[in-house]
Amino acid sequence: MLEIRNLHASVNDTPILRGINLTIQPGEVHAVMGPNGSGKSTLAFVLAGRPGYEVTSGSALYQGQDLLEMMPEDRARAGLFLSFQHPVEVPGVRLDQFLRAGFNAVSKSRGLEELDPLKFDRLLRRRVKTVNVDPQMTRRSVNEGFSGGEKKRNEVLQMAVLEPALAILDEPDSGLDVDALRSVAQSINDLRTPENALLLVTHYQRILNYVVPDRVHVLVNGRIVKSGGKDLALDIEANGYDGYEEAANPTLAQPASP
Amino acid sequence: MTTIAAPEAIPYLRSFESLEQNGYGQHPDWLQALRRDAMDAFTALGFPTARRGNEEWKYTDVGPIARASFRIPTQSCHSESIEESLADRVDSLTDPNWHRLVFIDGCFTPHLSSLPNIATVSNLADSLDSHTPLIRQHLARHTPYASHAFTALNTAFLHQGSFLHLPPETSLDRPLHLIYLTTAAETHTLSQPRTLAVIGRGSKATIVETYAGPDDTPYLSNAISELIIKENASLDYYRLQQHGDEGYHVGTTQAVLGDGAHFSSTTLDLGGALVRNNLNALLDAPESSCTLNGLYLAGETQKIDNQVIIDHAKPHTNSRELYKGILGGRARAAFHGSITVRKNAQKVDAKQEDKNLLLSDKAQVNVKPAFWIYADDVKCGHGAASGQIDENSLFYLRSRGIDHEQAHRLLVRGFANEIIETVGCPSVKSLINNLVKTKLTEL
Ligand SMILES: Nc1ncnc2c1ncn2[C@@H]1O[C@H](COP(=O)(O)OP(=O)(O)OP(=O)(O)O)[C@@H](O)[C@H]1O
Ligand SMILES: [Mg+2]
């Protein structure tokens, strides 16, 4: 589904990703953990095609296509979805209209029927129920004035509407209360099929109790320094990243010069 | 009295004198005196220029208007068949369920109009006899012309116009649409719409003014509206400016508010080559309040200048101002918001905001807020912002499969929506929605 090879990327000429290798098969869940600033969101943005992120070397194949050559909207139409760590407020654009625009753009490129507002409303109401968000929310401006938790649920709602093949979820669990976390995790699981895959960025092992990963990767300083099974998350939860940081950047381990 | 006539005023003076000798002589003495006085004022003033160190006209050069010499239409109105041929055009500007007064090139057109029966709604010229005291009391009393050239020019030729008198405790059941249509059948015509509305104590009304004219021909529309809103009355006022691409428009709206009255205004600017709106609200009694919103959409070389002056003359008065602009091409906009809080006008709450979305590097906006505060217990705030489409938002939309162009369109539209969403009346909202939609495709 996704094959990332030796991916290097810079933001404002600062190298952030420094050689990422990662392969995801259909049906798999991969978790990415790592300290603040290690490049997790950068990886997510590079995969989603955010302007301003310059790939300096390496490659990413998505369903056999050169992902890095595609426009962000084409990636979405090809079934890639990014749940934002910080969802964007879009004043004046109603959530239901925004979602219909996205849904129709994706449907059209897949040769499926585009829906008029009435039909889409019916579909949206079903999704709203499965994801368990306040139905009133869809008539408000996108994310405007939403609480942190509401924004995260809204991302999951969008995923439910767009039904992506590969969803990159950048900290869908941060800022959620315990019940919300369980409910969001439940929704994410409901959307899983044997064909689609998840790349889940998180700081906490807790969500992985619900959305059980096939692989856990530790991203430090722009590199994946360790990969393992779901127990790796438990280890990080218990011991933090201390040992990994040294492994990632040998210069850090050297004594500071006087 | 001898005054030195400004050279550009002379053609207007000639027209005035010839009209005085012919048709205007039939009007009541007080009206003739008023017009003569205003003509004298205009003759002395001439058109304002930015050059004379005039802060009021700092960003708008009316030189093209001064140089052009526009023609006052003669008193004879169009034939009924010409008026009939404009019926479709008029229909396209309005909602069929509204009351309406239609003026074509300044002439009241009864058979294209439909009037309510609970209030006095009529052509000003036809009401001079029946409503003399009321009209005399208010007409030209709230828009001083001695130092305002465009007001003087309009008042000098005051003749037909809209007159609304709503008695106490009555409400108009649906919006009243005042349509001022310029045909510009000849080049360089001057049309001077005039509105006088007196909203009685505790009454409610929605007034929509539309100013429109054809493309590809220069003309000047110089409008004045005087709105008197008595105690506890409330007026919803919309001003939809849809002039042609070579049209010049100067419009002055003066609202005077009584005790507990509310004035809500939405100014929509879509057309015109050069547009200047003066909106003045006098909060003349305690507990009166106003909400003044504006949306200006301009492209190519359009110039749109909004001057909003709020006078908090009495304590416990409240004003809210939100103007937004979307500018493309080489458009220029100016927003000049002035708020005065008079001495002893304590507990005033005033907020002013102007936000602009620039769709091209060549578009430009000048914002000039001014506060004159002579009381101490006052809450005043203002904000101004201008910028381009937010890249974060753009990417967010694209990441959902929406292409760049549509994402851009949605965001621009979203920017305008903040104003459109404030429109309470659904039929007015839907009309404005359609106008904005059409205009945005041209930016
Ligand atoms: N526009 C930018 N200009 C300069 N540096 C940037 C820019 N965007 C990101 N960075 C830097 O890139 C590094 C990686 O950031 P990124 O957001 O990918 O971290 P993260 O792993 O997602 O962290 P967190 O766990 O806090 O979300 C950080 O040091 C950040 O400051
Ligand atoms: Mg991050």
Side-chain angles (χ1 to χ4, degrees):
Chain A
M1 166 136 326
L2 181 69
E3 193 177 342
I4 303 172
R5 283 215 190 132
N6 193 30
L7 184 67
H8 287 69
S10 297
V11 184
N12 290 337
D13 292 328
T14 309
I16 309 287
L17 300 184
R18 306 184 312 140
I20 303 275
N21 292 290
L22 181 63
T23 301
I24 300 178
Q25 304 294 344
E28 288 184 346
V29 175
H30 288 239
V32 173
M33 302 181 82
N36 295 128
S38 58
K40 303 180 298 296
S41 295
T42 302
L43 174 62
F45 282 140
V46 167
L47 294 176
R50 183 177 182 147
Y53 288 69
E54 196 201 346
V55 175
T56 49
S57 66
S59 66
L61 283 184
Y62 169 72
Q63 295 180 335
Q65 302 180 70
D66 182 354
L67 187 66
L68 304 176
E69 281 299 305
M70 295 162 74
M71 306 241 268
E73 53 268 41
D74 291 331
R75 301 183 197 200
R77 291 169 187 185
L80 187 110
F81 178 83
L82 171 61
S83 166
F84 283 56
Q85 181 179 355
H86 302 291
V88 182
E89 298 197 5
V90 193
V93 178
R94 253 169 57 167
L95 179 57
D96 52 1
Q97 288 163 355
F98 162 77
L99 279 171
R100 192 169 78 90
F103 177 85
N104 280 342
V106 170
S107 298
K108 192 176 169 191
S109 80
R110 291 178 190 165
L112 300 172
E113 185 199 2
E114 294 181 62
L115 299 185
D116 62 30
L118 224 66
K119 280 187 180 159
F120 181 72
D121 207 51
R122 243 174 280 147
L123 176 132
L124 183 56
R125 250 180 290 162
R126 286 199 300 274
R127 298 294 179 267
V128 158
K129 219 178 256 165
T130 39
V131 176
N132 193 17
V133 298
D134 177 2
Q136 288 304 314
M137 205 161 96
T138 63
R139 307 186 68 82
R140 288 166 63 184
S141 290
V142 177
N143 290 322
E144 196 183 31
F146 287 19
S147 75
E150 285 168 347
K151 285 180 181 168
K152 290 295 160 92
R153 276 179 192 262
N154 183 22
E155 295 293 289
V156 178
L157 172 65
Q158 294 175 41
M159 175 178 162
V161 168
L162 298 177
E163 301 184 309
L166 173 62
I168 302 163
L169 309 177
D170 193 354
E171 300 195 23
D173 53 342
S174 57
L176 294 184
D177 66 52
V178 271
D179 295 332
L181 174 69
R182 198 181 315 115
S183 145
V184 160
Q186 180 67 53
S187 307
I188 293 171
N189 276 335
D190 289 346
L191 295 169
R192 289 185 60 190
T193 69
E195 287 80 40
N196 63 22
L198 286 180
L199 180 60
L200 173 58
V201 176
T202 183
H203 284 292
Y204 307 104
Q205 192 272 333
R206 188 192 293 265
I207 191 171
L208 303 180
N209 288 337
Y210 303 103
V211 185
V212 182
D214 298 291
R215 300 289 288 166
V216 174
H217 309 279
V218 182
L219 182 68
V220 178
N221 213 350
R223 287 195 189 107
I224 290 176
V225 295
K226 184 160 187 174
S227 297
K230 60 181 193 295
D231 292 345
L232 186 53
L234 289 167
D235 178 58
I236 288 167
E237 184 96 345
N239 303 314
Y241 295 110
D242 280 359
Y244 299 105
E245 296 199 7
E246 284 166 30
N249 192 346
T251 56
L252 283 180
Q254 287 166 7
S257 46
Chain B
M1 190 180 81
T2 45
T3 47
I4 302 165
E8 73 266 24
I10 288 171
Y12 299 94
L13 181 60
R14 298 257 159 77
S15 306
F16 178 81
E17 283 166 348
S18 100
L19 278 170
E20 228 182 14
Q21 278 159 23
N22 302 314
Y24 278 6
Q26 300 155 14
H27 290 129
D29 289 350
W30 66 267
L31 182 57
Q32 291 193 49
L34 172 70
R35 282 197 296 239
R36 166 51 72 180
D37 199 37
M39 191 67 231
D40 286 345
F42 179 70
T43 309
L45 289 165
F47 288 104
T49 55
R51 245 172 302 128
R52 290 176 197 167
N54 191 344
E55 279 295 298
E56 269 205 48
W57 294 89
K58 191 169 172 180
Y59 299 116
T60 299
D61 177 12
V62 296
I65 295 178
R67 285 189 295 274
S69 179
F70 292 91
R71 274 191 288 276
I72 312 281
T74 53
Q75 258 192 308
S76 56
C77 291
H78 293 293
S79 69
E80 213 160 292
S81 66
I82 290 188
E83 288 174 359
E84 207 48 63
S85 71
L86 292 164
D88 288 348
R89 172 78 176 120
V90 169
D91 286 344
S92 74
L93 296 170
T94 189
D95 181 307
N97 295 314
W98 295 352
H99 304 301
R100 69 195 194 203
L101 283 176
V102 178
F103 293 81
I104 296 176
D105 294 327
C107 274
F108 178 53
T109 312
H111 65 276
L112 294 181
S113 302
S114 67
L115 310 180
N117 42 26
I118 54 156
T120 302
V121 176
S122 63
N123 178 12
L124 196 54
D126 300 336
S127 304
L128 287 171
D129 295 329
S130 51
H131 287 75
T132 303
L134 189 70
I135 293 178
R136 260 190 99 164
Q137 186 192 345
H138 293 295
L139 188 66
R141 301 296 163 210
H142 308 285
T143 48
Y145 52 78
S147 58
H148 292 90
F150 285 100
T151 306
L153 183 62
N154 179 297
T155 309
F157 292 91
L158 213 167
H159 174 42
Q160 303 210 358
S162 300
F163 175 58
L164 164 67
H165 177 225
L166 209 50
E169 310 294 344
T170 38
S171 291
L172 277 187
D173 56 338
R174 46 189 106 165
L176 169 65
H177 200 179
L178 311 178
I179 300 176
Y180 296 104
L181 183 64
T182 300
T183 64
E186 299 161 54
T187 183
H188 288 93
T189 53
L190 169 62
S191 74
Q192 305 211 79
R194 185 95 192 189
T195 303
L196 174 63
V198 181
I199 313 298
R201 171 174 41 80
S203 296
K204 269 191 166 64
T206 298
I207 295 178
V208 182
E209 291 177 356
T210 287
Y211 299 93
D215 281 338
D216 306 319
T217 179
Y219 62 90
L220 171 61
S221 151
N222 178 33
I224 294 185
S225 298
E226 288 171 287
L227 312 171
I228 294 89
I229 309 163
K230 302 276 182 152
E231 69 227 61
N232 296 321
S234 123
L235 174 62
D236 257 349
Y237 173 75
Y238 301 89
R239 210 173 177 290
L240 314 179
Q241 185 278 109
Q242 300 160 246
H243 278 303
D245 57 2
E246 293 183 36
Y248 297 110
H249 180 77
V250 179
T252 298
T253 295
Q254 172 73 57
V256 181
L257 284 80
D259 240 302
H262 182 69
F263 174 54
S264 129
S265 142
T266 305
T267 300
L268 179 67
D269 279 293
L270 304 169
L274 181 93
V275 174
R276 166 61 174 258
N277 298 314
N278 302 303
L279 174 59
N280 307 325
L282 173 60
L283 302 171
D284 210 18
E287 310 292 342
S288 57
S289 61
C290 64
T291 306
L292 312 180
N293 292 333
L295 180 62
Y296 43 97
L297 312 180
E300 299 183 351
T301 56
Q302 282 186 278
K303 296 188 178 67
I304 313 275
D305 179 349
N306 277 290
Q307 177 176 283
V308 182
I309 299 180
I310 301 175
D311 187 346
H312 289 267
K314 296 283 150 60
H316 294 276
T317 50
N318 186 315
S319 67
R320 289 286 174 275
E321 243 173 293
L322 175 62
Y323 271 65
K324 292 185 101 171
I326 302 176
L327 307 174
R330 294 166 175 274
R332 272 164 195 261
F335 176 79
H336 177 185
S338 155
I339 292 175
T340 300
V341 181
R342 303 280 182 96
K343 202 165 169 243
N344 302 326
Q346 305 297 3
K347 306 278 180 202
V348 158
D349 187 345
K351 212 179 194 170
Q352 178 196 100
E353 214 175 350
D354 179 63
K355 300 193 226 171
N356 295 279
L357 179 59
L358 306 178
L359 301 180
S360 98
D361 325 330
K362 304 249 163 55
Q364 207 180 316
V365 59
N366 287 297
V367 181
K368 192 179 139 215
F371 292 86
W372 313 95
I373 302 189
Y374 304 103
D376 42 36
D377 188 4
V378 167
K379 239 166 62 187
C380 266
H382 87 97
S386 74
Q388 314 211 319
I389 282 283
D390 178 45
E391 288 297 328
N392 273 334
S393 309
L394 200 57
F395 172 64
Y396 190 60
L397 267 64
R398 294 176 75 191
S399 77
R400 271 47 177 154
I402 302 169
D403 67 41
H404 190 283
E405 197 190 312
Q406 194 189 358
H408 197 270
R409 210 165 45 233
L410 281 168
L411 293 174
V412 171
R413 184 57 217 231
F415 186 84
N417 278 348
E418 193 184 356
I419 300 292
I420 299 173
E421 286 305 317
T422 64
V423 176
C425 172
S427 59
V428 179
K429 190 175 187 170
S430 120
L431 185 76
I432 291 179
N433 246 324
N434 291 333
L435 290 172
V436 168
K437 200 164 159 188
T438 309
K439 175 72 182 184
L440 286 179
T441 61
E442 296 162 10
L443 288 186

